[in-house]
Amino acid sequence: MNPNELLFVPLGGAGEIGLNLYLFGYDGRWLMVDLGISFADEMLPGVEIVLPDPGFITERREDLAGLVLTHAHEDHFGAIPYLWDQLSCPVWCTPFTAALLRRKLEENGIGRVPVRVVEPGERFDVGPFDCELLHVTHSIPEANALAIRTPLGNVLHTGDWKIDPVPLLGPTTSVEALQRFGDEGVLAMVADSTNILDPGTSGSEAEVKDSLKDLIGRLGQRVVLTTFASNVARVQTAIEVAHEVGREVCAVGRSMRRMLEAAREVGYLADLKPLLDERAASALPRNRILWLATGCQGEPRAALARMASGQHPAVRLQPDDAVIFSSKIIPGNERTLYNLHNDLVSQGVEVITEHDHFVHVSGHPCRDEVEQMYRWIRPQIAIPVHGEARHLHEHLALARQLGVPQALEVRNGDLARLAPGPSEVIDEVPVGRLVLENQVLIQAGDDLFRTRRRLMAHGTVLVSLVVDSYGSMLAPPQVSAFGAIDLDRLNAGRQAMIGEIEEAIEELDDAAVLDDERVRERVRTAVRRGLRLAREKRPIIEVQIIRLGQDALAGLEQAEGVAP
Ligand SMILES: [Zn+2]
Ligand SMILES: [Zn+2]
């Protein structure tokens, strides 16, 4: 690294929503902002979580000055327990984020993490970077933008944010602090693009509260409300609204209880009337209780999915009960959630989502809010992140339209120089994704997943051959199939396929028959032909060859001779 340059490298977040990991370089040191996870899609069967590959920075660990967390959403801090061994740097964050981080680390048996708790407005040095968190509203308490001051220029990393005029919990977005930072002169703004395609503004938690009160007040039977546990303002809203309309509240699901505990620990929710435990709640008539449940994304082990499948110990849903999804569908979860909705509706349960009622607002800025941020900060360089290609593209166009002198397009792994001189991508660094597979981190591009996808789609055929040292078959080939084709239904066809295999091997010349790879190749072709596989069917055809030498054969004959 040239110490006289100000550099920016996204390793996660520039090209996707989720998996945030950003690096700023200056004076020979690196500052890391956020370290998130995302959830695996169908390309990674059997995998739950995906992490950014931090290889670029772990190779430079001695130059890593520290990690600043903007907020405690999983896509911004969820990877810490998994990557901690490789990083072990000081971490700066606000009290609520620290409370959740501590719990997360404890659960994973990690101690001695140097967490420095800071308040918004407090200045702290991370190596050569003069840092300050500026409070912004979002869908979790204590979200922050990060102001970074360096002799080569100032940078604002917006983190995840919105302008909620009445956030109900915590202060509003610190407009004055943002404007003041803008007045100092800001070289670059790294900015949230999640809702850039949506016009207007994202709305307020206060409006959701009014709407939920109206809705729950009209519902006559049991009400289950599900939302992201981390949206403490929404959770508070649900509790307050329930109490206002004469219902008690019971929180179910581990992450809901853990989040409530962390919020109370740092002083939130102090004025709330106590909640009921499951036993007390179950004893009440169903129109006197609101169940606050985890599982708004249809997570199979969460409280709501268990209620829907009749497996929850405390809640048996009945016809005319209502389930309110006070949340959005995270892209990719549509099928899972619609299945859950279908399950509920089939039981006569009323399903209420943001499509039917005003029960949710996003935590990210819509287009008007993003424009407002540009007016406050007035950066020289716009760097859209926290978005897929289509979001980043639209955000770049908006920045140009707003007259930002430079709109810099970066993708994960791009190394951009922000100063001196005009900003540009000057290099590419190694980038990738890791997944937790069987408790071990491996590359998401590993062949393991290609094989697993092929097995899921096409199954496998297993052929075992026993041959002697001359390549002659000592027994008929054994063929099994798993998920590829029903061999029993082949009847005579099965015999024909075995005949094809035998013939294929007999046709091989003396050299080829001793070459395992050539035998395998020939057998695979014979199996495809024998099974009459359509061109698009591509099962994995695994051929096991057991070659018995003269000694082994002699041993076998002897053993046969003494057998009764
Ligand atoms: Zn995020
Ligand atoms: Zn967030």
Side-chain angles (χ1 to χ4, degrees), residues 7-49:
L7 304 173
F8 173 65
V9 186
L11 294 182
E16 73 240 309
I17 293 173
L19 269 195
N20 295 281
L21 168 44
Y22 308 95
L23 293 163
F24 294 92
Y26 169 63
D27 200 20
R29 307 295 302 281
W30 293 98
L31 158 67
M32 188 188 291
V33 180
D34 291 342
L35 187 55
I37 57 170
S38 72
F39 297 98
D41 59 17
E42 68 284 356
M43 292 304 284
L44 292 167
V47 170
E48 284 190 15
I49 59 169

Side-chain angles (χ1 to χ4, degrees), residues 17-20 22 34 70-71 73-76 138 159-161 192 194 364 386:
I17 293 173
L19 269 195
N20 295 281
Y22 308 95
D34 291 342
T70 59
H71 64 293
H73 272 152
E74 289 294 328
D75 62 323
H76 294 260
H138 183 37
D160 292 359
W161 69 284
D192 183 354
T194 314
H364 296 272
H386 209 284

Side-chain angles (χ1 to χ4, degrees), residues 29 31-32 64-71 77 80 84 87-102 105 112-120 122-129 131-133 142 144 146:
R29 307 295 302 281
L31 158 67
M32 188 188 291
L64 177 61
L67 165 62
V68 178
L69 300 175
T70 59
H71 64 293
F77 90 143
I80 296 176
W84 185 251
L87 297 168
S88 315
C89 62
V91 181
W92 282 264
C93 59
T94 61
F96 179 68
T97 303
L100 289 170
L101 179 59
R102 256 181 239 118
L105 294 168
R112 295 197 310 277
V113 174
V115 179
R116 319 264 159 90
V117 178
V118 286
E119 295 287 346
E122 203 177 308
R123 299 274 278 264
F124 55 98
D125 289 330
V126 181
F129 302 92
C131 295
E132 179 185 356
L133 293 170
E142 300 183 7
N144 298 278
L146 175 63

Side-chain angles (χ1 to χ4, degrees), residues 36 183 271 283 298 338 357 372 374:
D183 292 343
D271 302 332
Y338 293 152
H357 278 268
Q372 180 61 256
Y374 277 100

Side-chain angles (χ1 to χ4, degrees), residues 73 115 187 266 342 345 350 373 524 529 536:
H73 272 152
V115 179
L187 176 70
V266 294
N342 290 334
V345 168
E350 187 180 357
M373 185 63 98
R524 284 193 192 106
R529 203 182 308 136
E536 64 278 9

Side-chain angles (χ1 to χ4, degrees), residues 15 28 129 173 177 302 475 506 546:
F129 302 92
T173 292
E506 274 158 26
I546 299 153

